[in-house]
Amino acid sequence: MKLWDKGLAIDKKIEKFTVGNDRELDMHLAEYDLKASKAHARMLGKVDILTSEEVKSIEIELEKLQQQLENGSFEIEEDFEDVHSKIEFELTKVLGDTGKKIHTARSRNDQVLVAMQLYFKENLKEISGKTKQLIDVLLGLADKHQEKLLPGYTHLQVAMPSSFGLWFSAYAELLIDDLYLLEAGLKVVDQNPLGSAAGYGSSFPIDREFTTKELGFSTLKYNVVAAQLGRGKCERTVTSNISSVANTLARFAMDICLYMSQNFDFITFPDELTTGSSIMPHKKNPDVFELIRGKCNKLQSIANEMILITNNLPSGYHRDYQLIKENSIYAVENIKEILDVFIHSIALIKVKDINLQDEKYKYLFTVDSINDLVMQGKSFREAYQIIGGQVQEGTYEAAKGKKHSHLGSKDNLALEEIRRKKDQA
């Protein structure tokens, strides 16, 4: 059954090509299409297009389908193009002509739009929640390890003293920036497109404010053409926001891979979180973080894909939009899994004691030495030249590390301020 079926046969090769993998993808959207169909039926009853008995009978059947979805028996068979045609078929099979009335005053276009936006809306909230959970874990680690020094690097050269507290809380605060973007994405998708039909509205006297309230949207996408143009824009926005989270996690994962290597040897993880080599028995590989890095880099490419597919499309619907469904859902589902794995793994990190007397850290405190001379009355430029000369001559002796007292430095992490920022986000 096809929603656009006019009784004409279609070439099977063309049918396979145009349907693609919508059936599999639409399992992610089924609950949202059921929810939107229920709100649409109630609205049709409110404006007297359906009787109250028809609305009730449709609601009962939609509830049955929801139960099937929850117990795992709901299936979109190969006879159907997508979840929308499956649901309408099931309603019609039981209710006859009443089931056929569910499509009154809507199009598959706004069906897809509203299902996708409800899916994005719920999942952006879930992604934000997981991101906040990771921030809390990192701030806890920062608090626990704030006294443990960590060599800081620039250009991958030993630079200045840092701390594990500074490292953990740095990524925590970066993730708060990502929360801001997730919130912006939520505002974009939290606008009801239902009622825009094929993109030009309907001559039926529908009540779009009613469905907005029923579906829990904050507002309407008032202009029906703007609602249709939202297809692609929502996907670009959501995948771009996810890309920002992925960027932060990919960089963090790279640090972890680097710091686990014997050349750095700053951290380690329990054996059960690492893998070995088939020929080198000493290996303890950070595969989980290498995969996180690779998966996050892949996620960052998806936003560009969304732009390339939709960039030069004119107004109105085009079948090109079908191609953005798969990877936008992929981005949502994968970032959730990545966050779960990251939260689980990073909580088990083991911070090592670093021997700062090692020769390679000899110049870690040169800046502190310069600052000591400045505090004794020398100009910064003169102090820089003195310490620089000692380094060149090989006579530099590291001073004992100084406390860094300013807000946000290694000895004043501002963890409570970062927590407040997270709560406000």
Side-chain angles (χ1 to χ4, degrees):
M1 176 187 173
K2 300 174 181 64
L3 296 181
W4 50 270
D5 192 348
K6 297 184 285 290
L8 301 174
I10 184 171
D11 186 303
K12 291 299 179 184
K13 184 175 287 189
I14 298 301
E15 180 178 22
K16 182 179 179 181
F17 182 75
T18 54
V19 171
N21 60 348
D22 264 10
R23 283 184 289 268
E24 293 83 357
L25 295 171
D26 281 3
M27 290 301 294
H28 292 285
L29 304 179
E31 66 173 295
Y32 305 105
D33 196 65
L34 290 168
K35 184 177 180 180
S37 293
K38 186 182 292 186
H40 184 68
R42 287 174 178 168
M43 184 276 295
L44 292 177
K46 181 175 181 294
V47 298
D48 297 325
I49 292 175
L50 294 180
T51 66
S52 58
E53 291 77 14
E54 287 174 324
V55 172
K56 187 172 183 179
S57 63
I58 288 172
E59 284 184 316
I60 290 170
E61 295 309 315
L62 290 173
E63 285 292 340
K64 290 179 182 177
L65 293 174
Q66 178 62 35
Q67 290 169 11
Q68 289 180 23
L69 195 62
E70 290 171 2
N71 65 32
S73 62
F74 183 87
E75 183 182 357
I76 306 172
E77 299 87 350
E78 288 190 10
D79 296 338
F80 304 101
E81 280 190 303
D82 50 33
V83 67
H84 318 295
S85 52
K86 162 72 174 180
I87 291 172
E88 186 169 324
F89 172 83
E90 294 296 336
L91 291 176
T92 303
K93 183 173 72 173
V94 177
L95 302 176
D97 286 343
T98 297
K100 296 177 182 178
K101 292 180 180 181
I102 190 64
H103 204 57
T104 305
R106 73 176 182 181
S107 164
R108 186 164 61 171
N109 292 345
D110 64 341
Q111 270 188 274
V112 176
L113 277 166
V114 72
M116 287 295 293
Q117 287 183 223
L118 287 170
Y119 168 79
F120 286 143
K121 180 181 173 183
E122 182 168 307
N123 279 279
L124 283 174
K125 290 179 179 178
E126 185 177 349
I127 293 165
S128 290
K130 291 178 186 297
T131 303
K132 289 177 183 178
Q133 189 179 346
L134 178 54
I135 291 169
D136 286 337
V137 172
L138 294 178
L139 290 176
L141 288 168
D143 194 27
K144 179 179 179 181
H145 299 291
Q146 60 182 297
E147 300 295 331
K148 301 201 75 168
L149 283 182
L150 173 71
Y153 286 74
T154 62
H155 308 276
L156 283 180
Q157 309 290 308
V158 173
M160 286 180 63
S162 180
S163 71
F164 281 100
L166 204 58
W167 182 55
F168 287 124
S169 58
Y171 281 105
E173 193 164 7
L174 279 181
L175 285 166
I176 295 173
D177 293 339
D178 299 326
L179 285 178
Y180 296 146
L181 293 174
L182 291 170
E183 177 65 23
L186 183 59
K187 288 188 175 183
V188 171
V189 301
D190 196 13
Q191 304 176 85
N192 181 23
L194 189 59
S196 58
Y200 300 98
S202 172
S203 58
F204 288 105
I206 59 175
D207 187 340
R208 297 187 65 210
E209 290 178 326
F210 177 85
T211 56
T212 299
K213 186 176 181 180
E214 283 285 301
L215 292 171
F217 282 108
S218 294
T219 187
L220 263 165
K221 197 71 169 181
Y222 292 101
N223 185 296
V224 291
V225 175
Q228 179 57 254
L229 288 169
R231 184 83 182 270
K233 191 177 186 70
C234 286
E235 288 83 351
R236 289 196 304 273
T237 301
V238 169
T239 55
S240 177
N241 300 155
I242 288 172
S243 170
S244 184
V245 180
N247 176 267
T248 303
L249 298 182
R251 294 176 70 184
F252 196 4
M254 179 64 224
D255 275 4
I256 290 169
C257 293
L258 204 63
Y259 291 176
M260 276 187 71
S261 73
Q262 291 90 338
N263 300 75
F264 287 81
D265 202 30
F266 297 158
I267 58 173
T268 189
F269 285 87
D271 290 344
E272 58 267 25
L273 291 187
T274 62
T275 62
S277 163
S278 62
I279 64 170
M280 293 172 286
H282 67 281
K283 294 298 290 298
K284 188 173 178 179
N285 299 325
D287 285 20
V288 65
F289 293 103
E290 291 174 345
L291 284 171
I292 285 172
R293 182 178 60 198
K295 285 174 176 284
C296 284
N297 289 339
K298 185 174 182 178
L299 289 180
Q300 290 178 77
S301 73
I302 291 176
N304 283 337
E305 180 186 282
M306 300 293 116
I307 292 171
L308 290 171
I309 292 174
T310 63
N311 199 38
N312 59 356
L313 293 179
S315 60
Y317 176 77
H318 311 277
R319 195 61 179 262
D320 310 51
Y321 287 125
Q322 181 183 3
L323 302 178
I324 65 177
K325 180 192 289 185
E326 179 175 5
N327 274 347
S328 59
I329 291 174
Y330 174 93
V332 168
E333 298 302 322
N334 271 264
I335 197 65
K336 291 191 297 182
E337 181 184 26
I338 289 167
L339 283 164
D340 283 339
V341 171
F342 216 123
I343 291 164
H344 173 72
S345 301
I346 199 66
L348 300 174
I349 193 171
K350 296 179 179 180
V351 169
K352 292 187 174 185
D353 291 321
I354 301 169
N355 178 17
L356 295 178
Q357 303 307 311
D358 190 302
E359 181 68 17
K360 62 178 170 283
Y361 303 128
K362 182 176 181 180
Y363 300 122
L364 185 64
F365 298 101
T366 57
V367 175
D368 285 348
S369 297
I370 291 170
N371 293 349
D372 279 340
L373 294 178
V374 171
M375 295 300 290
Q376 293 168 22
K378 296 190 182 298
S379 69
F380 179 83
R381 187 53 54 209
E382 183 183 7
Y384 178 91
Q385 290 169 349
I386 291 170
I387 298 301
Q390 292 175 5
V391 169
Q392 293 300 317
E393 295 163 5
T395 59
Y396 173 75
E397 292 292 334
K400 188 176 179 181
K402 295 174 67 67
K403 286 284 185 181
H404 294 193
S405 61
H406 71 76
L407 196 62
S409 63
K410 70 178 180 68
D411 300 307
N412 187 1
L413 295 177
L415 297 184
E416 288 308 312
E417 288 82 355
I418 295 173
R419 284 191 180 96
R420 280 198 295 272
K421 188 189 283 190
K422 181 214 69 173
D423 293 340
Q424 290 165 358

